[in-house]
């Protein structure tokens, strides 16, 4: 007991004689291994002055801390290199008991490190630093690989979502076109059916007139004058449509009909509606599908007309 008390007292006296700039043996050992004094003193303080090895382990674990090289201030009540400056609470919580700490300090003071041992420790330190740097590099590479995999996965998800959106939009466009074609077909079928009914009605009226009226000498002059009286507005209009590379299309349409009837007749010849316009010369005028509600009389196509079919594309 007296020996340990004398040893601690001697360490206090040596430190006080050296002043603030005197370094403890542990600090000198760490500095001899290449550590800055600031890091050495901070590491020893953090591990409770329990030896060089624990201080080295602390430096390895905290070498990347942003405040590792900030100026170190000795905590109040501590004297660098002195075991007696440990508080009672730290002595109780440290894994080493008082006797083992004193034995470790005694051994380090009685057997100071030779230059060869310092160099050996320095080489081990450099090796550990290199190993830790390599481990950190491998971890960073693994993390970068994981991030790259995530980026590619996100890129594939975005591309897949974009493709699905484009396919959905394309389907909507196709469905809309099909719907319009169905509506156009229904409208054209109605017009064709109406044309058929009008022709059948006209034929029935002509047959009825032939059966009911017997021409007499007295009625003949009157009947001969009827075409002249009605010649001002013809019942039918003869229309000729010229198509490039094809024989002209000839139609006979009721004068009261609209252009939609003419468009339906042209489409029945295999020409798709909405892909062309009709051009009349002298005077110049163009008719499109937007004019389908215009009558032939309003369009000036009665009693006959010659039109040119002009493709839109």
């Amino acid at each position: 007991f007296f020996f340990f008390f004398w040893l601690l007292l001697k360490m206090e006296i040596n430190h006080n004689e050296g002043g603030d700039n005197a370094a403890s043996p542990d600090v000198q050992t760490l500095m001899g291994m290449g550590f800055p004094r600031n890091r050495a003193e901070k590491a020893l303080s953090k591990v409770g002055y329990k030896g060089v090895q624990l201080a080295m382990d602390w430096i390895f674990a905290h070498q990347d801390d942003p405040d590792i090289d900030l100026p170190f201030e000795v905590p109040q009540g501590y004297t660098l290199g002195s075991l007696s400056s440990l508080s009672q609470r730290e002595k109780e919580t440290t894994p080493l008991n008082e006797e083992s700490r004193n034995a470790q300090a005694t051994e380090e003071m009685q057997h100071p490190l030779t230059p060869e041992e310092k160099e050996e420790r320095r080489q081990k330190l450099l090796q550990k630093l290199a190993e830790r740097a390599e481990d950190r590099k491998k971890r960073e590479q693994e993390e970068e690989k994981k991030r790259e995999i995530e980026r590619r996965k996100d890129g594939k998800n975005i591309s897949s979502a974009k493709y699905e959106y484009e396919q959905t939009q394309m389907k909507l466009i196709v469905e809309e076109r099909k719907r319009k074609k169905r509506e156009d077909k229904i409208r054209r079928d109605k017009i064709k059916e109406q044309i058929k009914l009008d022709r059948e009605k006209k034929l029935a009226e002509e047959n009825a007139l032939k059966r009911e009226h017997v021409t007499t000498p007295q009625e003949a002059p009157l009947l001969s004058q009827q075409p002249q009286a009605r010649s001002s507005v013809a019942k039918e209009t003869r229309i000729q449509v010229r198509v490039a590379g094809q024989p002209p299309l000839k139609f006979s349409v009721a004068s009261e009909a609209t252009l939609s009837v003419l468009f339906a007749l042209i489409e029945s010849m295999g020409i798709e509606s909405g892909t062309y316009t009709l051009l009349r010369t002298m005077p110049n005028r163009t008719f499109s599908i937007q004019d389908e509600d215009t009558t032939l009389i309003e369009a000036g196509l009665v009693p006959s007309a010659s039109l040119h079919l002009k493709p839109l594309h």
Side-chain angles (χ1 to χ4, degrees):
F1 174 77
F2 290 105
F3 172 75
F4 293 121
F5 177 77
W6 172 83
L7 178 61
L8 294 174
L9 182 60
K10 184 177 180 180
M11 291 174 63
E12 289 285 353
I13 294 172
N14 290 338
H15 182 268
N16 293 333
E17 289 178 352
D20 294 338
N21 294 327
S24 68
D26 289 348
V27 174
Q28 292 178 0
T29 300
L30 291 171
M31 292 175 61
M33 297 170 64
F35 292 108
R37 177 169 180 169
N38 186 66
R39 290 194 182 187
E41 293 177 347
K42 182 180 293 187
L44 287 168
S45 174
K46 294 296 184 181
V47 300
Y49 302 98
K50 289 182 287 188
V52 174
Q53 185 61 43
L54 293 177
M56 288 174 56
D57 293 339
W58 187 91
I59 292 175
F60 288 145
H62 298 272
Q63 60 182 343
D64 294 327
D65 291 354
D67 60 345
I68 186 66
D69 290 320
L70 293 179
F72 173 69
E73 296 181 2
V74 180
Q76 187 175 2
Y78 281 86
T79 303
L80 287 176
S82 176
L83 293 173
S84 62
S85 61
L86 289 173
S87 65
Q88 182 64 29
R89 182 179 180 182
E90 289 171 335
K91 291 177 182 179
E92 293 175 355
T93 56
T94 182
L96 297 176
N97 55 31
E98 185 70 20
E99 183 178 354
S100 62
R101 285 198 301 270
N102 291 333
Q104 181 180 355
T106 303
E107 182 180 357
E108 291 181 356
M109 292 186 66
Q110 291 179 352
H111 303 284
L113 295 177
T114 63
E116 292 78 8
E117 291 175 337
K118 290 183 178 181
E119 179 63 22
E120 182 181 357
R121 288 199 178 185
R122 192 177 72 84
Q123 292 298 330
K124 289 182 179 180
L125 169 64
L126 294 176
Q127 183 179 357
K128 284 189 176 182
L129 289 175
E131 291 175 354
R132 297 206 173 193
E134 184 66 22
D135 291 342
R136 184 169 62 252
K137 183 178 179 181
K138 289 181 179 179
R139 289 196 303 270
E140 291 176 353
Q141 290 177 349
E142 291 296 328
E143 292 175 357
E144 181 62 27
K145 287 181 180 179
K146 291 181 181 179
R147 287 194 293 268
E148 181 64 23
I149 291 173
E150 291 296 328
R151 283 196 295 268
R152 292 183 180 181
K153 185 178 179 180
D154 293 340
K156 289 182 180 179
N157 292 337
I158 293 174
S159 299
S160 177
K162 183 179 180 181
Y163 176 77
E164 292 179 358
Y165 173 77
E166 292 177 350
Q167 291 298 314
T168 302
Q169 292 298 116
M170 184 61 66
K171 289 180 181 179
L172 292 176
I173 294 173
V174 172
E175 290 297 328
E176 181 66 17
R177 290 179 179 176
K178 288 182 179 180
R179 184 186 64 80
K180 289 184 177 180
K181 285 186 177 181
R182 287 195 298 269
E183 293 178 353
D184 291 342
K185 186 177 183 302
I186 293 173
R187 180 176 55 81
R188 292 192 300 270
D189 291 342
K190 288 182 179 180
I191 293 173
K192 290 178 182 179
E193 183 66 22
Q194 186 63 40
I195 292 173
K196 181 180 178 181
L197 294 175
D198 291 342
R199 286 180 177 176
E200 291 176 352
K201 182 179 179 181
K202 179 181 178 182
L203 182 61
E205 291 176 352
E206 291 178 351
N207 293 333
L209 289 174
K210 289 180 181 179
R211 288 194 302 268
E212 293 177 0
H213 295 282
V214 178
T215 305
T216 61
Q218 292 81 7
E219 293 173 346
L222 295 176
L223 292 175
S224 61
Q225 294 176 3
Q226 287 179 0
Q228 295 178 0
R230 297 178 182 178
S231 59
S232 58
V233 179
K235 292 183 178 181
E236 290 184 351
T237 299
R238 296 183 300 277
I239 298 178
Q240 179 177 268
V241 179
R242 298 183 181 276
V243 183
Q246 297 183 19
L249 306 177
K250 297 180 180 181
F251 307 106
S252 181
V253 186
S255 300
E256 294 82 3
T258 61
L259 287 175
S260 61
V261 177
L262 179 60
F263 286 128
L265 291 173
I266 294 174
E267 188 172 354
S268 66
M269 304 303 293
I271 301 175
E272 187 176 355
S273 176
T275 61
Y276 61 89
T277 58
L278 297 175
L279 179 64
R280 186 189 69 178
T281 58
M282 300 179 60
N284 293 335
R285 187 173 178 181
T286 301
F287 304 102
S288 64
I289 193 68
Q290 285 75 19
D291 301 316
E292 61 180 356
D293 294 331
T294 304
T295 63
L296 298 179
I297 297 174
E298 294 172 346
L301 303 180
V302 178
S304 63
S306 179
L307 303 174
H308 294 275
L309 190 145
K310 181 179 179 182
L312 292 177
H313 303 290

